[in-house]
Amino acid sequence: MTATSPTTGPAPAGPASARAGLRQTNVPGMHTYGPGMPRPSRFFQRGFGWLLGAVWLFYLGQPLGTILDRPNGFAKWFSLAALVAFGLSYILVFLWTRRVHMQQRQPPLREGLAWLGATLALGLAMIPGAGGDWMVGLVYIAASAIMVLPPRAAVPVVAVVAAQPLLLPMFVPSWRHESGLFFSIVLAAFAMFGVTRMIDHNMRLTAANKEIARLAVAEERARAARDLHDILGHSLTVIAIKAELAGRLLPVAPERAEAEVNDLEKLARQALADIRRTVGAYREVCLDEELASARSALSAAGIEARLPVSVADIPEPRGTLFGWAIREGVTNVVRHSGATRCVITVRPDQVEIADNGRGPVASEGGGSGLRGLRERASAHGAQLSVGRAEGSGFVLRVSVPA
């Protein structure tokens, strides 16, 4: 018996323990098996911001005690309500600023000034019940200024706010001179500056990690596309030429046609194996194998091949790079050149593929194959040169600095 979900269709019945590994998704007809992905703690999503903002409210204990010691009356309850609203306003400013910084934005100046003005107004509203102790709220005003204002504007605001505990008692004799409060305001401003910078740096680090991951995926896709182009382009070109040759030989030389067909089967299997190795990121090129493959491809195309006998002294990874160059060069000769002769020269620091055909006109960008080969050469610190050979024909050369 099965149960039906409106979004995922029939779901397997059975004991709850057997269904515990089944996590339904919102994709019709799809079930995801295995343990569910852990979700972020709701405390760290929401509660942490409240806790981090509220932990600083202990400074308000001084004006709170003063207000509670006053006799009942309008001044007491009005100031008490203003103090509660002041603390709540500070927490909301902190949460708002934290969210803005996490979105990698700067707090809008107009909204920041509005928050700062509202917090200051609520602080002044504590005066009827708290008297001079309301100046403790200046700690939060300075911290809020650091949060909501650009640094150039926040610094003078903090300086003005920090001076008030030293200046206001000169005009209101009943208020005590608070030199310690001056240092508390300065320290709170520095602490909040560090918090905001830490949030900014964490967000930038997160964004940088995402960009690195995106570039890594893009690079891997480019590598896979380059390898598939090089493998399929060469293999399919040789297969097409051999198939054409086998078709021409079939009426006049069945034995040779049969040999070409056998070669077609081997090439097809080899191409399939190459694709599988490429998908598995195991694709490597052997210089000796590429030379043998080039000889076979050129011979099938009716092109005289002049290739080196031995390349045993070519070290890796240079040999792999030269193998890719020979593969791309021979593919271009067979496809585009119309040549009757191809000469491949391999030296410890250079490989060159030249033909006597018409050759393509080298463009700045080149095709996908030349572009891929240029990327490979650049990764090895080598130089790729393409163009017309002396007299006629086309030449492709990869040179590695000594």
Side-chain angles (χ1 to χ4, degrees):
M1 186 174 182
T2 60
T4 302
S5 166
T7 57
T8 61
S17 59
R19 298 194 304 268
L22 177 63
R23 179 171 56 85
Q24 296 186 356
T25 67
N26 59 353
V27 180
M30 179 180 292
H31 298 292
T32 302
Y33 292 88
M37 294 295 291
R39 296 183 177 180
S41 169
R42 293 180 65 87
F43 170 75
F44 284 100
Q45 283 184 316
R46 298 181 180 179
F48 183 72
W50 283 91
L51 179 61
L52 192 60
V55 72
W56 296 95
L57 296 182
F58 70 91
Y59 278 110
L60 294 178
Q62 181 177 343
L64 177 62
T66 303
I67 294 173
L68 293 178
D69 288 341
R70 293 184 65 87
N72 291 335
F74 174 79
K76 176 179 180 178
W77 299 114
F78 178 80
S79 298
L80 185 60
L83 185 143
V84 173
F86 179 86
L88 182 61
S89 174
Y90 171 75
I91 295 176
L92 292 176
V93 169
F94 181 84
L95 293 176
W96 173 68
T97 310
R98 179 171 174 262
R99 185 177 68 252
V100 170
H101 280 281
M102 291 180 68
Q103 295 172 351
Q104 296 182 328
R105 298 188 295 117
Q106 289 296 325
L109 182 60
R110 182 174 300 178
E111 295 181 24
L113 290 174
W115 276 110
L116 197 61
T119 306
L120 177 60
L122 291 172
L124 294 173
M126 292 188 288
I127 293 177
D133 289 340
W134 84 273
M135 289 187 294
V136 172
L138 295 174
V139 174
Y140 303 93
I141 303 295
S144 298
I146 292 293
M147 289 189 289
V148 303
L149 298 178
R152 291 184 179 180
V155 171
V157 170
V158 170
V160 171
V161 170
Q164 299 312 304
L166 305 178
L167 298 177
L168 291 179
M170 300 172 57
F171 301 96
V172 185
S174 61
W175 293 358
R176 296 190 304 272
H177 189 271
E178 298 282 357
S179 59
L181 188 56
F182 167 82
F183 292 104
S184 297
I185 292 172
V186 173
L187 291 176
F190 273 111
M192 190 53 63
F193 179 80
V195 170
T196 55
R197 296 287 79 75
M198 179 186 68
I199 294 175
D200 284 342
H201 290 163
N202 286 341
M203 292 305 103
R204 291 177 183 177
L205 180 61
T206 300
N209 288 335
K210 290 181 179 179
E211 180 66 11
I212 290 172
R214 186 191 68 80
L215 292 176
V217 171
E219 174 63 23
E220 182 60 20
R221 287 176 177 172
R223 183 201 65 81
R226 183 173 62 239
D227 287 357
L228 287 174
H229 172 275
D230 293 345
I231 292 168
L232 290 179
H234 176 80
S235 299
L236 293 180
T237 298
V238 177
I239 288 173
I241 292 174
K242 282 187 171 291
E244 182 181 356
L245 177 61
R248 292 199 306 265
L249 292 174
L250 189 59
V252 295
E255 297 81 5
R256 284 193 60 193
E258 182 180 358
E260 295 296 336
V261 171
N262 291 334
D263 286 346
L264 283 175
E265 181 183 358
K266 294 178 182 178
L267 284 170
R269 293 183 181 277
Q270 181 181 355
L272 180 60
D274 286 343
I275 292 174
R276 287 172 176 170
R277 287 197 297 268
T278 300
V279 172
Y282 297 118
R283 172 62 183 165
E284 288 296 340
V285 168
C286 175
L287 181 56
D288 288 321
E289 292 179 1
E290 291 304 318
L291 285 171
S293 177
R295 188 184 303 275
S296 175
L298 292 170
S299 175
I303 301 174
E304 178 188 356
R306 298 183 182 179
L307 279 66
V309 177
S310 174
V311 290
D313 57 343
I314 305 299
E316 292 295 340
R318 189 175 300 178
T320 299
L321 174 62
F322 287 180
W324 283 114
I326 291 173
R327 171 173 286 229
E328 175 62 23
V330 170
T331 300
N332 287 337
V333 170
V334 172
R335 278 182 174 177
H336 310 295
S337 69
T340 59
R341 184 180 66 255
C342 177
V343 179
I344 299 178
T345 306
V346 180
R347 300 204 302 264
D349 62 340
Q350 180 179 285
V351 61
E352 181 180 286
I353 303 94
D355 64 67
N356 65 344
R358 59 182 181 274
V361 177
S363 62
E364 182 179 352
S368 299
L370 289 178
R371 185 164 55 249
L373 183 58
R374 185 166 60 248
E375 293 172 358
R376 297 181 194 277
S378 177
H380 289 80
Q383 184 181 54
L384 171 65
S385 303
V386 292
R388 290 196 175 275
E390 295 182 5
S392 65
F394 190 75
V395 61
L396 183 152
R397 183 183 303 114
V398 173
S399 304
V400 180

